[in-house]
Amino acid sequence: MCLTNNSHSHAYWNIYSPEGHGVRLRLRTSELFKLVSAKKEKSWFGRLNYEFEKDIKNHLKSTIGLQKSLDNKDPDNLFLNVFHKKRMPFMYENESRISILTNNEGKDGIYKLNFTPQKLISQLYLDPHMGNNEVKAWKEYLLKFNIPVTRSLLLKDQIHKIK
């Protein structure tokens, strides 16, 4: 699971919601950690390290035992170190990852965590490109989950000028 520590990113809305219909979840991190940690499987939490591509390549070439580590069914620190590197152009993501080692993969390799949405999700942010009618409809629909819903304020000034 990949998470961002960047609460407002125009790039995210454009990349993951090009049609303007996206929803961003603000999670209660402590609840997410409790949920994952309560599982029997091994899990790892880590922030990504953003480096220049040439530095990542040099690191990969010079790391002794890396191939053995990558082939290992039980990730070690070498594997995790590589898994938490990303190229510098993606630094805007300010990403963290949660990894779970499990043999209990469900259909299509998806691992499911059961949770109560109201405990885990503290707020829903609607795409800033969404029209007013869509925002109203989504807010009305999402009321039943008892989770605060608002449109992202990222484009607030432009939206008010359009009205």
Side-chain angles (χ1 to χ4, degrees):
M1 175 181 218
C2 299
L3 308 159
T4 183
N5 298 298
N6 184 357
S7 60
H8 299 288
S9 170
H10 199 266
Y12 273 127
W13 290 114
N14 287 338
I15 292 167
Y16 298 114
S17 179
E19 303 296 321
H21 303 291
V23 176
R24 180 173 65 88
L25 308 177
R26 174 178 273 172
L27 303 178
R28 292 184 176 91
T29 312
S30 60
E31 288 298 320
L32 180 60
F33 288 162
K34 280 187 221 172
L35 182 68
V36 172
S37 298
K39 295 292 191 182
K40 295 175 191 170
E41 293 85 2
K42 288 184 181 181
S43 58
W44 296 269
F45 303 92
R47 289 187 87 138
L48 268 60
N49 297 307
Y50 297 91
E51 299 177 17
F52 292 106
E53 188 170 351
K54 68 177 179 64
D55 294 334
I56 293 174
K57 286 180 179 179
N58 288 337
H59 175 81
L60 294 175
K61 287 179 189 175
S62 66
T63 303
I64 298 169
L66 181 58
Q67 187 59 53
K68 182 180 176 189
S69 174
L70 295 174
D71 293 338
N72 193 352
K73 299 247 188 261
D74 191 4
D76 60 15
N77 285 338
L78 283 178
F79 173 87
L80 293 169
N81 187 322
V82 170
F83 189 66
H84 286 90
K85 288 187 183 299
K86 202 162 187 177
R87 294 182 303 127
M88 197 63 80
F90 297 96
M91 191 172 188
Y92 71 89
E93 293 177 342
N94 195 10
E95 185 180 333
S96 294
R97 288 184 179 163
I98 298 174
S99 305
I100 300 172
L101 180 64
T102 180
N103 293 325
N104 297 328
E105 289 182 3
K107 186 178 180 182
D108 300 324
I110 296 173
Y111 183 81
K112 295 181 181 177
L113 292 172
N114 294 321
F115 62 91
T116 305
Q118 296 82 354
K119 276 185 151 185
L120 183 61
I121 303 168
S122 64
Q123 186 147 15
L124 295 168
Y125 294 90
L126 303 175
D127 194 307
H129 301 98
M130 235 181 235
N132 292 333
N133 290 336
E134 283 180 286
V135 168
K136 184 178 176 183
W138 274 107
K139 282 184 174 184
E140 211 170 284
Y141 171 75
L142 293 167
L143 271 174
K144 66 182 177 183
F145 295 101
N146 200 26
I147 298 171
V149 180
T150 188
R151 182 184 345 204
S152 168
L153 297 176
L154 185 67
L155 303 176
K156 179 180 152 211
D157 292 336
Q158 285 103 348
I159 291 171
H160 290 300
K161 288 178 185 174
I162 293 171
K163 289 182 184 177

